[in-house]
Amino acid sequence: DAGVTQSPTHLIKTRGQQVTLRCSPKSGHDTVSWYQQALGQGPQFIFQYYEEEERQRGNFPDRFSGHQFPNYSSELNVNALLLGDSALYLCASSLGGSYGARDYEQYFGPGTRLTVT
Amino acid sequence: KQEVTQIPAALSVPEGENLVLNCSFTDSAIYNLQWFRQDPGKGLTSLLLIQSSQREQTSGRLNASLDKSSGRSTLYIAASQPGDSATYLCAVESDNYGQNFVFGPGTRLSVLP
């Protein structure tokens, strides 16, 4: 049973560039959430995708955008990169739907380490 | 706005000790609480999930309790081992804020041989 996978593992970009990170959810899961974790801090919620739509969004600027594909995999795009975007980007998958039907537990991938120079 | 804090920020103990990690949250209307472990530079590994209707969960040497009314959860680790060294994070999912988790800053644990 494949867990959550993310690619690439590491990425180095220059300020102003654009980046795309990818995530494949755990088998059977249909909901993908993205988090940003700065060094020494807890993860911060970016947004969540369910049924190919952004269901909820955290306090991140519009430079952060995403997409979910029919196979439930997801992409996170960040435009006009800033030095402050350097972080570990984590993807989590879960089984969505109404609260009563949900598998509440979130499963995390290994993350993508983004460095902006 | 839901806020999650964890005490202590860091902890160093000799091998074999029993220890308690604390997590506090400001809004008691939570849907569930999950404890994670994170090794340096790695992703998060789920340890225990406590749903709002539950008071505690156990897995091996780990026991997590939840007191919604006081906004607290504790993670108890019995007979600690050097392999337990990691950062431990708690996260709450709130009824009022949708399906995302709000994380605490974590407790960095070092278990000395």
Side-chain angles (χ1 to χ4, degrees), chain B residues 64-76:
Chain B
S65 65
L66 173 64
D67 184 344
K68 282 181 57 177
S69 61
S70 66
R72 294 179 183 177
S73 175
T74 60
L75 178 66
Y76 176 82

Side-chain angles (χ1 to χ4, degrees), chain A residues 101-117:
Chain A
R102 284 194 303 120
D103 177 349
Y104 312 102
E105 192 166 1
Q106 291 203 23
Y107 296 81
F108 281 78
T112 293
R113 171 71 63 187
L114 172 65
T115 301
V116 182
T117 62

Side-chain angles (χ1 to χ4, degrees), chain B residues 74-91:
Chain B
T74 60
L75 178 66
Y76 176 82
I77 302 177
S80 58
Q81 303 171 359
D84 294 331
S85 298
T87 296
Y88 291 80
L89 297 147
C90 73

Side-chain angles (χ1 to χ4, degrees), chain A residues 16-99:
Chain A
Q17 286 188 317
Q18 179 265 344
V19 67
T20 297
L21 311 181
R22 295 176 176 82
C23 171
S24 292
K26 184 178 185 294
S27 178
H29 283 181
D30 57 7
T31 303
V32 173
S33 302
W34 286 93
Y35 294 82
Q36 180 194 67
Q37 186 178 25
L39 200 62
Q41 300 182 20
Q44 299 289 318
F45 174 74
I46 302 175
F47 43 55
Q48 182 182 78
Y49 277 85
Y50 172 68
E51 292 188 340
E52 301 181 51
E53 291 190 358
E54 183 181 294
R55 179 156 63 175
Q56 188 158 9
R57 187 179 186 92
N59 189 27
F60 278 79
D62 291 344
R63 298 187 297 108
F64 290 77
S65 63
H67 187 78
Q68 186 178 36
F69 299 94
N71 67 352
Y72 308 120
S73 66
S74 177
E75 288 182 348
L76 164 65
N77 300 293
V78 187
N79 295 321
L81 285 167
L82 305 173
L83 294 178
D85 294 332
S86 295
L88 181 67
Y89 287 85
L90 296 164
C91 167
S93 76
S94 57
L95 189 60
S98 63
Y99 275 114

